[in-house]
Amino acid sequence: MILPVVAYGHPVLKKKALNVDPTYPDLKQFISDLWETMYEADGVGLAAPQVNRSIRMFAIDASAFAKDHPEVDGFKQLFINAGIYEEEGEEWIFNEGCLSFPGMREDIPRKPMIRIRWFDEEFQPHDQKFDGILARIIQHEYDHIEGILMVDRINSLKRVLLNRRLNDISKGNVDTSYKMIFPLQKKRKK
């Protein structure tokens, strides 16, 4: 089932998400819905808070970057209860987009190398180092489960300049090809 993506301004996006255990209600179905929603929206990644579930889970399929970054070809992974415990290197800027910010792209600084622990969908533990574009994609989705948004990573002056666009996103004054929940959209009368 395709789930609506929540837009900037929705309170779930600013909450630190809670851990999930194997008894989470309808877990397998939710995981399937998360993947289906991500693909329907042409996303590279999608975190549970973006579909209005404040749980520590995100999905990534980096194949969209394979042409320019052949090392990510075939990388598809679900991360449950992830924790980044190391970040290294000099920050580098990359132009990022986000399904919760339709039509918006911004230059975001991030470290080039991370180490992360997580569980897969079978609740098998993993601990791995990632670098380059994979580290960046993971950091972006990881931020969502920490209640951090991409606009939180840009300087305050630039953020002030984006206020009007951010308000438009919250109100639903944007075009999207996928279902969304806009926190400030006025209810239509029947």
Side-chain angles (χ1 to χ4, degrees):
M1 174 173 62
I2 302 202
L3 305 169
V5 174
V6 296
Y8 171 78
H10 194 289
V12 74
L13 293 175
K14 293 301 288 176
K15 285 184 190 173
K16 187 168 181 172
L18 301 173
N19 278 339
V20 183
D21 67 40
T23 64
Y24 186 82
D26 300 317
L27 181 62
K28 293 285 186 203
Q29 183 60 53
F30 177 70
I31 291 169
S32 174
D33 294 346
L34 191 66
W35 285 112
E36 186 178 357
T37 302
M38 183 187 81
Y39 289 126
E40 178 68 19
D42 290 327
V44 171
L46 185 64
Q50 290 180 275
V51 291
N52 209 12
R53 298 270 187 106
S54 191
I55 58 175
R56 296 184 73 80
M57 181 185 303
F58 57 88
I60 291 174
D61 183 339
S63 57
F65 288 99
K67 183 179 177 197
D68 294 328
H69 303 274
E71 70 277 12
V72 304
D73 192 28
F75 184 87
K76 180 180 172 179
Q77 183 66 58
L78 182 76
F79 292 77
I80 299 174
N81 300 338
I84 292 176
Y85 64 93
E86 189 178 327
E87 294 179 320
E88 288 182 6
E90 192 172 319
E91 287 186 338
W92 60 291
I93 304 289
F94 189 83
N95 193 255
E96 294 184 17
C98 180
L99 295 177
S100 293
F101 295 82
M104 190 171 155
R105 297 194 64 82
E106 290 299 323
D107 290 339
I108 308 295
R110 296 193 189 273
K111 300 276 186 178
M113 193 285 292
I114 62 167
R115 287 196 69 90
I116 185 171
R117 291 183 184 105
W118 80 94
F119 294 94
D120 61 26
E121 61 191 273
E122 304 302 324
F123 280 84
Q124 295 302 307
H126 299 269
D127 185 327
Q128 194 170 342
K129 175 182 172 180
F130 292 98
D131 58 19
I133 197 71
L134 274 180
R136 175 168 293 278
I137 297 166
I138 291 167
Q139 287 172 87
H140 178 104
E141 298 308 326
Y142 181 79
D143 275 357
H144 280 298
I145 65 174
E146 290 291 309
I148 300 168
L149 302 173
M150 71 177 197
V151 293
D152 296 333
R153 299 224 175 252
I154 60 178
N155 72 51
S156 55
L157 175 61
K158 174 75 172 176
R159 199 165 167 187
V160 168
L161 295 173
L162 291 172
N163 255 350
R164 184 180 202 142
R165 274 180 85 191
L166 294 172
N167 274 333
D168 281 345
I169 290 169
S170 293
K171 291 176 183 176
N173 297 334
V174 291
D175 290 327
T176 65
S177 61
Y178 49 94
K179 294 191 301 186
M180 292 197 74
I181 296 171
F182 299 103
L184 299 180
Q185 189 172 50
K186 296 207 183 318
K187 304 266 190 235
R188 293 191 177 122
K189 293 182 180 178
K190 294 181 178 181

